[in-house]
């Protein structure tokens, strides 16, 4: 009996130890499973994309002086154009969700919108200035801002890294709910930006020559035409500079959306001013805006 007892105790200890090991293993496995599991609320937040926000701009109409009757039609037309530009920018904001890097909204939407508004408010000031005191400082009203809608995807404040190493927008589908893409870590994991297909190589922007397509320019229009021809050259230089400075940014359509598209808009406005200047005292040239489209030569 005294010999059997130690064997019995030994078997009992072995059994208890084995059971404890199994229980411990189950606890560890469960612990690992729970550690790797994302809580339901976090998972839902990570998949929830808030609206892209709304672009708002300073009101120009309320800042104008009394508009002469001779300028009213042109001023009204350009005020309407300002409203159209804002609507188009908001539409573009919605349509480009999923594109771009940390500065996409600024480079592809807010920046080009400012350029268009500067040209438009300057036309308003010029129209008024023909028969009254030209208003000054209207171009200070050209800068617009993005009012973010709701919270960032991931449930956190815009621009702040989320739990799990999600740096504001890592793996996020674009700029949805992102306050101007603030805190967007280069859109890490954003399909369509791998290898920066839109601006991987710089190249050069080339545009059709406008000067050679003009008819004889009346002496009364020469100064204005020359000034706008010089502006066309400046616009191309600025676009090429921007092309160099934005290497590494944007998705597959970045160059078109952020550089070539806005450049075309500027050139359309500029060649139309040239045509208008000539048309005041001679036959107005037609079709100059067909020369506005530029291309990227790699």
């Amino acid at each position: 009996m005294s010999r059997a007892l130690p064997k019995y105790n030994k078997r009992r200890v072995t059994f208890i130890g084995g059971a404890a090991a199994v229980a411990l293993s189950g606890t560890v496995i469960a612990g690992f499973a729970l550690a790797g599991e994302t809580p339901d609320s976090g998972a839902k937040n990570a998949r929830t994309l808030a609206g892209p926000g709304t672009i708002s701009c300073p009101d120009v109409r309320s800042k104008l002086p009394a508009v002469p009757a001779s300028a009213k039609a042109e001023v009204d037309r350009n005020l309407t154009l300002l409203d159209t530009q804002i609507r188009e920018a908001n539409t573009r904001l919605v349509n480009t969700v999923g594109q771009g890097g940390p500065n996409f909204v600024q480079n592809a939407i807010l920046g080009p919108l400012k350029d268009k508004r500067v040209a438009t408010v300057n036309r308003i000031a010029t129209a008024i200035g023909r028969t009254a005191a030209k208003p000054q400082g209207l171009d200070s009203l050209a800068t617009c801002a993005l009012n973010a809608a709701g919270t960032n995807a991931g449930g956190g404040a815009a621009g702040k890294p989320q739990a799990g190493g999600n740096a504001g927008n890592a793996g996020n589908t674009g700029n949805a709910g992102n306050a101007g893409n603030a805190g967007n870590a280069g859109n890490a994991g954003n399909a369509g930006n791998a290898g920066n297909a839109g601006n991987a190589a710089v190249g050069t922007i080339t545009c059709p020559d406008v000067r050679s397509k003009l008819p004889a320019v009346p002496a009364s229009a020469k100064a204005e035409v020359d000034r706008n021809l010089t502006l066309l050259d400046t616009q191309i230089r600025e676009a090429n500079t921007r092309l160099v400075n934005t290497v590494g940014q944007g998705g597959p359509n970045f160059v078109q959306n952020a550089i070539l598209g806005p450049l075309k808009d500027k050139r359309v406005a500029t060649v139309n001013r040239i045509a208008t200047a000539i048309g005041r005292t001679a036959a107005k040239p037609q079709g100059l805006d067909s020369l506005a489209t530029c291309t990227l030569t790699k």
Side-chain angles (χ1 to χ4, degrees):
M1 184 72 177
S2 60
R3 291 181 190 149
L5 186 58
K7 291 182 181 178
Y8 171 77
N9 287 339
K10 186 182 295 184
R11 286 197 300 272
R12 184 174 61 180
V13 169
T14 302
F15 173 77
I16 293 172
V22 170
L24 181 60
S25 299
T27 303
V28 171
I29 292 170
F32 277 118
L34 290 175
E37 182 180 357
T38 303
D40 287 345
S41 60
K44 290 177 183 176
N45 283 339
R47 290 192 295 268
T48 300
L49 299 179
T54 304
I55 291 171
S56 59
C57 306
D59 181 55
V60 174
R61 188 184 299 271
S62 63
K63 303 299 190 296
L64 296 181
V67 178
S70 59
K72 188 173 187 308
E74 186 172 356
V75 169
D76 286 347
R77 183 169 62 252
N78 282 287
L79 287 171
T80 300
L81 179 59
L82 288 173
D83 293 337
T84 300
Q85 290 165 351
I86 297 173
R87 285 197 303 272
E88 290 174 345
N90 275 305
T91 299
R92 193 172 193 184
L93 187 67
V94 172
N95 292 341
T96 56
V97 168
Q99 295 183 21
N103 300 313
F104 179 81
V105 173
Q106 178 60 46
N107 289 341
I109 301 177
L110 291 178
L113 176 59
K114 178 180 178 180
D115 294 337
K116 293 178 186 178
R117 284 174 60 85
V118 166
T120 306
V121 297
N122 282 343
R123 287 196 295 272
I124 290 173
T126 299
I128 295 173
R130 291 193 185 104
T131 52
K134 182 176 180 179
Q136 303 296 317
L138 289 184
D139 52 2
S140 66
L141 305 174
T143 302
C144 302
L146 174 65
N147 299 323
T151 59
N152 233 11
K160 292 183 180 179
Q162 306 300 313
N166 184 1
N169 201 17
N172 191 359
T173 54
N175 58 359
N178 218 344
N181 268 354
N184 181 354
N187 248 1
N190 184 356
N193 196 19
N196 192 16
N199 200 7
V202 177
T204 304
I205 291 172
T206 56
C207 306
D209 181 54
V210 175
R211 188 185 300 269
S212 63
K213 302 299 189 297
L214 296 181
V217 178
S220 59
K222 189 174 187 306
E224 187 172 355
V225 168
D226 286 346
R227 182 169 63 252
N228 281 287
L229 287 171
T230 300
L231 180 58
L232 289 172
D233 294 335
T234 300
Q235 291 165 352
I236 297 172
R237 286 197 302 273
E238 290 174 345
N240 275 305
T241 298
R242 192 171 192 183
L243 188 67
V244 173
N245 293 341
T246 56
V247 169
Q249 294 184 22
N253 299 316
F254 178 82
V255 173
Q256 179 60 45
N257 290 339
I259 301 177
L260 291 178
L263 176 59
K264 178 180 178 179
D265 293 336
K266 293 178 187 178
R267 284 174 60 84
V268 166
T270 305
V271 297
N272 283 341
R273 286 196 296 271
I274 291 173
T276 299
I278 294 173
R280 291 193 186 104
T281 53
K284 183 177 180 179
Q286 302 298 315
L288 289 184
D289 51 3
S290 67
L291 305 174
T293 303
C294 302
T295 57
L296 175 64
T297 304
K298 295 284 188 178

